[in-house]
Amino acid sequence: MPKSAFITGITGQDGSYLAELLLSKGYKVFGLVRRSSNTNLERISHIERDITLLQGDLLDQNSLANAIRHSQPDEIYNLAAQSFVATSWSQPELTGQFTALGVTRILEAIKTENPKIRFYQASSSEMFGSTPPPQSERTPFHPRSPYGVSKLYGHYATINYRESYDMFACSGILFNHESPRRGLEFVTRKVSNAAAQIKLGLLDKMKIGNLEAKRDWGFAGDYVRAMWMMLQADQPYDYVIATGISKSVRELVELAFKAVGLNYHDYVSVDPSLLRPAEVDYLCGDASYAEKHLGWKPAVSFE
């Protein structure tokens, strides 16, 4: 009998790649979508007929329990969140409701419906914040945004349910991971999109925030493979998933503009209004534990 999986956030970047991966492994895939008059299914339109979408909301535990009851999953991947760091400053309470308390609602629904379900929580490198690199599973957390604080709550909620109720619940502390499916508000797509538009004469200039911030960037398709591998392990554990190579936003900008034959100095300027109230200066992950115990390695380089 094939396994079944339930994905919250299935319409997002990670959710779409994960759904593809699970389908390729013969899973029956269910996805949670919020009730909306214009739900955006663009990222999963090519596999929509192969998956089952269920209505529900991270703000409503009853809807989560109903979705779990309907789908009867072997595995649940919680990828849904208010996931844009900049928005968390202007909507901190909403970020907390979705990104923090939403995790507790799912865990409680699993405990009530079927505590044998294996649960994956999408934690974030933003939880490390200002802690010096390299960051590993043993590095102290120091989040620097409402988003990072909310992710840390969800991370510890997952640990608490694992330890309190003997649930197979684990978190992937994923560093930045990108793809062509990333939203345009994220810096990688903002930069690549602007470079393309400037090259085509559709845009004159691009404004950006901190060019010196350094991030460990990988490919989303590699990182969803790690999610799946975590839930196949004999024991639940929390893993850092990263490339171990950090690049500055300036290097990202330079590479993107070079790819279309342009010098970024001629088109890019720093806008102070785009700077964060509290900056995360330097993230670089140490994923050696995942490599040793899961056999996971990234396949796609930054370039």
Side-chain angles (χ1 to χ4, degrees):
M1 187 173 178
K3 282 186 176 182
S4 63
F6 177 57
I7 305 171
T8 73
I10 195 169
T11 60
Q13 170 190 256
D14 292 5
S16 65
Y17 280 111
L18 179 61
E20 286 177 349
L21 176 70
L22 295 176
L23 287 171
S24 74
K25 295 182 179 296
Y27 278 66
K28 188 172 184 180
V29 176
F30 297 84
L32 188 75
V33 292
R34 298 178 69 194
R35 172 71 181 92
S36 173
S37 59
N38 57 346
T39 301
N40 184 359
L41 303 179
E42 179 182 353
R43 294 185 182 95
I44 56 170
S45 59
H46 61 297
I47 55 171
E48 189 178 351
R49 286 185 290 184
D50 301 319
I51 61 181
T52 302
L53 298 178
L54 304 173
Q55 286 189 6
D57 200 308
L58 287 183
L59 301 184
D60 180 19
Q61 186 176 321
N62 188 54
S63 70
L64 297 172
N66 287 336
I68 291 171
R69 202 174 304 130
H70 180 89
S71 57
Q72 294 292 306
D74 299 290
E75 300 167 4
I76 291 179
Y77 298 84
N78 180 36
L79 311 185
Q82 190 300 99
S83 59
F84 188 44
V85 176
T87 298
S88 75
W89 293 104
S90 58
Q91 299 182 25
E93 184 179 353
L94 183 67
T95 300
Q97 285 290 338
F98 275 110
T99 309
L101 291 174
V103 184
T104 300
R105 295 185 187 103
I106 296 176
L107 287 164
E108 191 64 21
I110 292 171
K111 180 169 73 76
T112 301
E113 295 299 322
N114 180 6
K116 294 189 180 300
I117 294 171
R118 296 194 169 201
F119 174 74
Y120 171 85
Q121 165 60 16
S123 289
S124 169
S125 61
E126 288 286 330
M127 301 187 310
F128 292 119
S130 61
T131 306
Q135 293 100 1
S136 72
E137 294 84 0
R138 298 167 297 282
T139 302
F141 297 116
H142 189 164
R144 297 268 285 171
S145 67
Y147 171 80
V149 171
S150 298
K151 278 293 186 183
L152 190 55
Y153 177 103
H155 180 77
Y156 276 117
T158 302
I159 293 172
N160 184 249
Y161 273 74
R162 178 172 72 221
E163 296 178 347
S164 301
Y165 304 111
D166 196 29
M167 291 167 58
F168 195 108
C170 59
S171 293
I173 308 173
L174 271 55
F175 280 64
N176 296 64
H177 47 287
E178 314 299 324
S179 78
R181 300 179 192 176
R182 185 60 119 169
L184 288 175
E185 70 272 21
F186 290 86
V187 67
T188 47
R189 288 289 288 115
K190 176 180 179 178
V191 170
S192 61
N193 186 59
Q197 289 205 54
I198 290 170
K199 178 66 174 181
L200 294 172
L202 304 174
L203 188 68
D204 296 324
K205 300 283 184 181
M206 181 186 76
K207 293 183 178 180
I208 201 160
N210 184 5
L211 281 169
E212 307 314 322
K214 301 186 78 171
R215 294 293 183 270
D216 184 330
W217 275 298
F219 171 54
D222 286 339
Y223 285 39
V224 300
R225 179 165 44 86
M227 298 175 189
W228 175 79
M229 294 172 82
M230 287 181 213
L231 293 197
Q232 313 315 306
D234 293 334
Q235 298 294 328
Y237 194 77
D238 305 321
Y239 294 89
V240 162
I241 302 299
T243 70
I245 299 172
S246 192
K247 301 283 187 179
S248 68
V249 175
R250 185 182 298 277
E251 288 175 285
L252 167 71
V253 171
E254 183 177 15
L255 192 67
F257 277 77
K258 185 178 179 181
V260 293
L262 299 176
N263 185 334
Y264 81 95
H265 290 287
D266 299 329
Y267 304 99
V268 178
S269 61
V270 172
D271 183 349
S273 71
L274 298 176
L275 298 174
R276 294 182 181 184
E279 182 58 84
V280 174
D281 294 313
Y282 193 172
L283 294 175
C284 186
D286 174 4
S288 57
Y289 195 86
E291 180 179 349
K292 178 180 178 181
H293 293 276
L294 298 177
W296 179 86
K297 281 185 177 181
V300 178
S301 71
F302 171 80
E303 287 75 15

